[in-house]
Amino acid sequence: MEAAESGRPGPAASSSSSSSSSSPPAAAEGEKTGPAAMRRSDRDGGADGRNVGFVLVHAGAGYHSESKAKEYKQVCKKACQKAIEKLQTGALAVDVVAAALIELEDSPFTNAGMGSNLNLSGDIECDASTMDGKSLNFGAVGALRGIKNPILVANKLLSEAQKGKLSAGRIPPCFLVGEGAHKWAVDHGIVPCPPDIMTTKFSLSAFRKNRRKLELAEKVETEMIQTKKRREVTENVSVFIFTLSTNVTASLDTVGAVVVDHEGNVAAAVSSGGLAMKHPGRVGQAAVYGCGCWAENAGGHNVYSTAVSTSGSPFLACEDSVLGGVIVLRCCRCSMDSESALNTPALLVEFLWSHTTESMCVGYMSTQDGKAKVNTHISRLPPGAVAGQSLAIEGGVCRLRTSVN
Amino acid sequence: MEAAESGRPGPAASSSSSSSSSSPPAAAEGEKTGPAAMRRSDRDGGADGRNVGFVLVHAGAGYHSESKAKEYKQVCKKACQKAIEKLQTGALAVDVVAAALIELEDSPFTNAGMGSNLNLSGDIECDASTMDGKSLNFGAVGALRGIKNPILVANKLLSEAQKGKLSAGRIPPCFLVGEGAHKWAVDHGIVPCPPDIMTTKFSLSAFRKNRRKLELAEKVETEMIQTKKRREVTENVSVFIFTLSTNVTASLDTVGAVVVDHEGNVAAAVSSGGLAMKHPGRVGQAAVYGCGCWAENAGGHNVYSTAVSTSGSPFLACEDSVLGGVIVLRCCRCSMDSESALNTPALLVEFLWSHTTESMCVGYMSTQDGKAKVNTHISRLPPGAVAGQSLAIEGGVCRLRTSVN
């Protein structure tokens, strides 16, 4: 592993639709820029050009208590470090993004992989997907049981598809669900995991509480339903149940990452345990093409490579308030030394996170951070802003010196 | 049911990217218009304005032999008639489109519901989805076994979601897969169907032939793989296997419908048994939000309501040739009597079908056709055009007299 110089992502821009500015990222220093604006930091740059790259991860948009803040930041830090290690060995974006996701899934604090929400039957069923910006290939799993790292299966589906057709010219699958997905994973060398190992003390305790809440809610509804129609009942009961059901619907829901590698390829990935107490077989946006993640290299008239990973609300919500979050990265070729005669090739990487939830925990790191610390941060809506009705946007810019143009 | 007057959809426009014109729709009379152009027919109009509507269906893009042409047209005819019956009783587009799909699924000749392709394990697993242009609600099922009409489950998911939240404020599912989807369907009153009833003599015989082809292909590949890499092998074997494998990959793949109702609401639906010999658990575009179908009523700056149902290639194909088909409908408010002082409110409905496959079987009908015949048609690429590299587009226009503006 080469020693990278100590350039680091530049100052973050922060804004909010409620027009009061949200707190700046804890780890981002330097000047703040205006709302939604991005600004190049002159402090960027530095490495020798081989195996550069950048990663941005999030551990869920939702509500992060101050007491758990440290743990979420730690998860993001580990995910970033794992990604950077992979990048420095020359791995491509699509495999780097999977490495970051594995760390996020393995944490018992996130709602993905280990420690995922339990469904109505008390089982864990996970969704995950990944997209490679170079080939535009996509891999996804839905309602997958008994696999510790769903992203590994999505990544494997993608890489198998890139090998070309199956025997007799059959088109390889890119989206598998349920039992069939489990079987395919095991057939492709992914080790199955006994379901009870993925269940944590916390997720089991939340399930038991939620089950009691549901029983209570249904009892109340059954009593009310004798005189009213379901829609009216649901509206009324929601008010009544609201204080009870916070954990049912408002928990963290997804983890994700976006990466750019030394060739300038981008990739994105997303993984989720889905809603607590969801119906078995329910597939959420994390598994859906064009919904959970997107990655597309520059090409044609488009000078930017872009990678996006989303989190949050059901993908077709006609909800009063839309709770969600997103991480975005875009990059383009630029010169490292714009003011000198030298024309060192570089990648300009712009990145942001945005959420309508109360908070979102993110981490980011570039290869040029070397052994310097990862940037981790819990982004919060500004004081007084209402979740689902306000939007926080923060981000930054960095330049990576490359050897190729 | 009221007697509708005998207006019928106007002449069809036909074109092809290979710039030789394809044959005009068998059932479309009158002048032909230029490539891709749409022309209002002066012969349109007539009904008393209550419960008007229009339906366009297709029974698959692929290859329709002349010997089976009659059966495919018959299926489309029945689907159109069922839709028109529903429209005339005042049903809304989203339920009308489901009624049309049920007829298409029930045919043993289509690859949807009854008679679907068998997967690698010899089972039927179906995908279906539907979208309501008024509410933008979406319902979908993937890899669903043992339900004769998958579209019924998708429709039920959509209508249940429109009733509002579940107990304790839980968000209702819109996309269910596998066992969980089956259980939800049965819990919601949809009768399960023993799997062997959905298997036809034809689909079983195709499965047995395909299994033998696969065994042969795999034997040849195993022998060749000792000296070459998989990609090269696959390319070579494809050539060798091509004459054997036509039925594996080139069969009809999807059915679909688009509808506009008397209120001007649009809806779309799609249903598919998926690829023959697919991996169990594989979900195709028919179940994927934004891929298999779309419907969106006019609103805001958009004066057109639009409904689309697609068929064909895997949704992320980097294939040499893209085989697919689409049916599209758009409509807007207009006046029935543009040249007179009267200003009778009407709906202008433009519709088209397009495919890169050798052929596509479609049917269309408006309430104003009354007891007149349905228009059914097998659209074919023009002579000499190569499937996957040429495109056929045909369509038409009709006006429906309405009572509301």
Side-chain angles (χ1 to χ4, degrees):
Chain A
M1 218 166 77
E2 344 158 60
E5 286 177 43
S6 63
R8 51 185 297 285
S14 72
S15 82
S16 133
S17 69
S18 63
S19 88
S20 56
S21 77
S22 62
S23 14
E29 291 154 18
E31 307 157 273
K32 275 175 68 184
T33 59
M38 292 290 185
R39 193 170 170 286
R40 273 200 328 199
S41 160
D42 293 333
R43 294 179 293 111
D44 295 334
D48 71 357
R50 274 200 57 225
N51 301 342
V52 300
F54 175 84
V55 59
L56 168 62
V57 306
H58 80 91
Y63 174 70
H64 301 77
S65 65
E66 287 296 346
S67 63
K68 290 265 176 69
K70 199 174 155 190
E71 277 134 2
Y72 288 110
K73 286 186 185 177
Q74 183 61 23
V75 175
C76 288
K77 182 179 171 184
K78 279 173 70 179
C80 286
Q81 286 171 331
K82 190 62 81 166
I84 294 297
E85 277 173 32
K86 289 280 279 184
L87 280 169
Q88 285 173 332
T89 65
L92 296 182
V94 71
D95 294 321
V96 173
V97 87
L101 263 279
I102 287 171
E103 292 299 316
L104 295 165
E105 286 177 340
D106 281 350
S107 162
F109 300 107
T110 59
N111 177 26
M114 183 79 70
S116 284
N117 287 330
L118 304 189
N119 69 13
L120 257 187
S121 320
D123 297 309
I124 289 179
E125 289 188 338
C126 294
D127 301 332
S129 65
T130 183
M131 187 162 176
D132 173 27
K134 187 178 183 181
S135 64
L136 300 184
N137 271 111
F138 173 77
V141 288
L144 176 67
R145 295 188 188 196
I147 300 285
K148 189 171 71 75
N149 293 110
I151 193 64
L152 264 183
V153 191
N155 177 274
K156 188 83 180 166
L157 279 163
L158 190 155
S159 63
E160 285 295 310
Q162 282 176 336
K163 289 182 188 169
K165 291 194 176 166
L166 304 176
S167 60
R170 285 172 305 142
I171 297 161
C174 69
F175 181 19
L176 288 176
V177 299
E179 256 182 86
H182 182 92
K183 192 174 178 310
W184 188 94
V186 173
D187 288 349
H188 285 77
I190 294 169
V191 182
C193 171
D196 51 338
I197 289 184
M198 292 175 70
T199 306
T200 58
K201 214 170 112 182
F202 175 78
S203 65
L204 192 62
S205 140
F207 170 72
R208 288 185 179 137
K209 272 185 218 157
N210 285 331
R211 196 170 48 187
R212 281 196 298 276
K213 286 176 203 168
L214 270 188
E215 282 163 5
L216 177 61
E218 275 160 17
K219 193 163 163 273
V220 174
E221 283 178 30
T222 308
E223 282 163 15
M224 290 175 78
I225 219 149
Q226 288 159 359
T227 47
K228 297 192 176 192
K229 283 199 214 121
R230 182 173 152 202
R231 181 185 284 272
E232 294 161 29
V233 170
T234 310
E235 277 162 11
N236 293 334
V237 173
S238 305
V239 177
F240 171 74
I241 297 296
F242 186 74
T243 49
L244 291 172
S245 64
T246 306
N247 283 340
V248 179
T249 56
S251 54
L252 304 172
D253 64 315
T254 305
V255 300
V258 288
V259 165
V260 55
D261 67 25
H262 68 282
E263 290 181 3
N265 304 306
V266 290
V270 56
S271 181
S272 177
L275 296 173
M277 309 306 275
K278 69 183 175 185
H279 195 283
R282 178 182 184 138
V283 175
Q285 69 178 27
V288 176
Y289 179 66
C291 294
C293 68
W294 192 264
E296 197 171 344
N297 276 12
H301 293 295
N302 191 1
V303 294
Y304 288 105
S305 297
T306 312
V308 182
S309 184
T310 71
S311 166
S313 290
F315 50 83
L316 243 191
C318 296
E319 301 295 317
D320 298 334
S321 62
V322 177
L323 295 170
V326 66
I327 53 175
V328 186
L329 170 164
R330 75 171 190 178
C331 68
C332 64
R333 304 279 173 196
C334 67
S335 169
M336 203 71 203
D337 315 284
S338 51
E339 284 157 30
S340 79
L342 290 165
N343 194 13
T344 316
L347 282 172
L348 179 69
V349 182
E350 297 167 289
F351 55 96
L352 65 81
W353 49 93
S354 177
H355 57 99
T356 61
T357 53
E358 292 193 40
S359 56
M360 184 174 193
C361 185
V362 298
Y364 56 94
M365 192 176 185
S366 82
T367 43
Q368 291 171 359
D369 288 334
K371 283 165 190 164
K373 71 171 175 168
V374 192
N375 300 281
T376 59
H377 170 56
I378 294 187
S379 167
R380 296 189 186 278
L381 289 182
V386 179
Q389 289 170 22
S390 296
L391 182 75
I393 306 178
E394 301 176 348
V397 187
C398 73
R399 272 188 298 179
L400 304 171
R401 187 188 299 271
T402 62
S403 52
V404 286
N405 224 341
Chain B
M1 218 167 74
E2 344 156 61
E5 285 178 42
S6 64
R8 52 186 297 284
S14 70
S15 82
S16 128
S17 69
S18 63
S19 87
S20 58
S21 77
S22 63
S23 14
E29 290 153 19
E31 309 157 272
K32 276 175 65 184
T33 60
M38 293 289 186
R39 194 172 170 285
R40 275 201 326 199
S41 161
D42 292 334
R43 292 179 294 114
D44 295 333
D48 71 356
R50 273 200 57 225
N51 302 342
V52 299
F54 175 83
V55 60
L56 169 61
V57 306
H58 80 91
Y63 173 70
H64 301 78
S65 66
E66 286 296 347
S67 63
K68 290 264 175 66
K70 200 176 153 187
E71 276 134 2
Y72 288 111
K73 286 185 185 176
Q74 184 61 25
V75 174
C76 288
K77 183 179 170 183
K78 278 174 68 180
C80 287
Q81 286 171 331
K82 191 62 79 167
I84 294 298
E85 277 173 32
K86 289 280 281 184
L87 279 169
Q88 286 174 333
T89 64
L92 296 182
V94 72
D95 294 321
V96 174
V97 87
L101 263 278
I102 287 170
E103 292 299 316
L104 296 165
E105 287 178 340
D106 281 350
S107 162
F109 300 108
T110 59
N111 177 26
M114 183 79 68
S116 285
N117 286 331
L118 304 188
N119 69 13
L120 258 186
S121 320
D123 297 309
I124 289 179
E125 290 188 337
C126 293
D127 301 331
S129 65
T130 183
M131 187 163 174
D132 173 27
K134 188 178 182 181
S135 64
L136 300 183
N137 271 111
F138 173 76
V141 289
L144 176 67
R145 295 188 187 197
I147 299 286
K148 191 170 72 75
N149 293 111
I151 193 62
L152 264 184
V153 190
N155 177 273
K156 189 84 181 165
L157 278 164
L158 190 154
S159 64
E160 285 295 310
Q162 282 174 338
K163 289 182 189 169
K165 292 195 176 166
L166 305 177
S167 60
R170 286 172 305 141
I171 297 161
C174 68
F175 181 19
L176 288 176
V177 299
E179 256 182 85
H182 181 94
K183 192 174 178 309
W184 187 93
V186 174
D187 289 348
H188 285 77
I190 294 169
V191 182
C193 170
D196 53 337
I197 289 183
M198 292 175 71
T199 307
T200 59
K201 215 169 110 182
F202 176 77
S203 65
L204 191 61
S205 140
F207 170 72
R208 287 182 180 141
K209 273 186 218 157
N210 285 332
R211 195 169 51 185
R212 282 196 298 276
K213 286 175 204 168
L214 270 189
E215 283 162 6
L216 178 60
E218 276 161 16
K219 191 162 163 273
V220 174
E221 283 178 30
T222 309
E223 283 163 14
M224 289 175 78
I225 218 148
Q226 287 158 359
T227 48
K228 296 192 179 192
K229 280 195 218 126
R230 181 174 151 202
R231 182 184 283 272
E232 294 162 30
V233 171
T234 311
E235 278 163 10
N236 293 334
V237 173
S238 304
V239 177
F240 171 72
I241 298 297
F242 185 74
T243 50
L244 291 171
S245 63
T246 306
N247 283 340
V248 179
T249 56
S251 53
L252 304 172
D253 65 314
T254 305
V255 301
V258 287
V259 164
V260 55
D261 67 25
H262 68 282
E263 289 182 3
N265 304 306
V266 291
V270 55
S271 181
S272 176
L275 296 174
M277 309 305 276
K278 68 184 175 184
H279 194 283
R282 179 184 182 135
V283 175
Q285 70 179 29
V288 177
Y289 178 65
C291 293
C293 67
W294 192 264
E296 196 172 345
N297 276 12
H301 293 295
N302 192 1
V303 296
Y304 289 105
S305 296
T306 312
V308 182
S309 183
T310 71
S311 164
S313 289
F315 50 84
L316 243 190
C318 296
E319 301 294 317
D320 298 334
S321 62
V322 177
L323 295 169
V326 66
I327 53 175
V328 186
L329 169 164
R330 74 170 190 178
C331 68
C332 63
R333 303 277 173 196
C334 67
S335 168
M336 203 70 202
D337 315 285
S338 50
E339 282 156 32
S340 78
L342 289 165
N343 194 14
T344 316
L347 282 173
L348 178 69
V349 182
E350 298 166 289
F351 55 97
L352 65 80
W353 49 93
S354 176
H355 57 98
T356 61
T357 53
E358 292 191 44
S359 56
M360 184 173 193
C361 185
V362 298
Y364 55 95
M365 191 176 185
S366 82
T367 43
Q368 290 171 358
D369 288 333
K371 282 165 193 164
K373 71 174 173 163
V374 192
N375 301 281
T376 60
H377 170 55
I378 294 189
S379 166
R380 295 188 188 280
L381 290 181
V386 179
Q389 290 170 21
S390 296
L391 182 75
I393 306 178
E394 301 176 349
V397 187
C398 74
R399 271 187 299 180
L400 304 171
R401 187 188 300 269
T402 61
S403 51
V404 284
N405 223 344

